Amino acid sequence: MDTKQKLYEKALEIREKAYAPYSQYKVGAALLSEEGRYYVGCNVENISYPCGTCAEAGAIASMIAGGDKTIEALLVVSFGKNLVYPCGACLQRIAEFSNPRTIIYVADKQGIQETHYLKDLLPYAFKEEGLSNEK
Ligand code: THU
């Protein structure tokens, strides 16, 4: 099975475990680290809505806990009417651990529908250099 397909299978499987009683919108994310390991996450909602977390955030937390630092590719899947793209906050979360090649796959029930570079989805990510006060 190739990387893309593996990411899809893993994201589908973890999507089933999502805790989404308020939106009924289950999301699964799977990523491959530059170090060659797979990590997964699902959305975890909360009765206090802003406390909920996205699937991508879960996968990233798992990657950091696993000791890896860089995302080579991340796939996100939902079964909604429209494709699910990582939200703005998650694009920034992904950017923190990206490299210039980081790929985002967007998938639904039928399979992988789109492939994007992170840098195309978030071309002006706030990066470490942005913290500098010097011109
Ligand atoms: N959600 C994700 O987990 N990832 C996304 O990329 C978009 C939205 C979740 C958050 C919330 O639990 C539900 O989808 C509806 O917004």
Side-chain angles (χ1 to χ4, degrees):
M1 204 188 291
D2 70 354
T3 295
K4 252 163 87 170
Q5 205 50 36
K6 239 183 201 165
L7 285 169
Y8 183 61
E9 300 294 325
K10 285 177 186 289
L12 272 188
E13 193 182 333
I14 197 72
R15 183 196 154 276
E16 289 294 318
K17 295 186 177 156
Y19 177 74
Y22 308 109
S23 71
Q24 311 295 330
Y25 189 75
K26 291 183 166 198
V27 184
L31 70 83
L32 174 67
S33 70
E34 206 176 86
E35 295 82 354
R37 282 177 283 263
Y38 289 91
Y39 297 95
V40 295
C42 56
N43 53 332
V44 182
E45 298 186 344
N46 192 285
I47 183 64
S48 177
Y49 293 1
C51 294
T53 50
C54 285
E56 297 90 324
I60 290 170
S62 172
M63 177 187 77
I64 294 302
D68 292 349
K69 286 273 155 11
T70 307
I71 301 167
E72 198 63 46
L74 182 147
L75 183 146
V76 60
V77 63
S78 78
F79 291 177
K81 218 162 78 185
N82 298 111
L83 290 174
V84 62
Y85 297 88
C87 73
C90 282
L91 289 173
Q92 182 64 38
R93 290 187 178 101
I94 297 164
E96 180 80 14
F97 304 106
S98 64
N99 65 28
R101 303 176 302 277
T102 299
I103 282 176
I104 306 294
Y105 296 113
V106 178
D108 62 13
K109 212 176 201 158
Q110 278 72 45
I112 299 173
Q113 302 299 338
E114 293 183 11
T115 303
H116 301 279
Y117 283 114
L118 175 70
K119 59 174 158 42
D120 293 330
L121 298 182
L122 188 66
Y124 298 104
F126 186 63
K127 293 281 183 113
E128 209 179 329
E129 314 85 79
L131 278 183
S132 163
N133 288 313
E134 303 297 326
K135 246 232 168 280

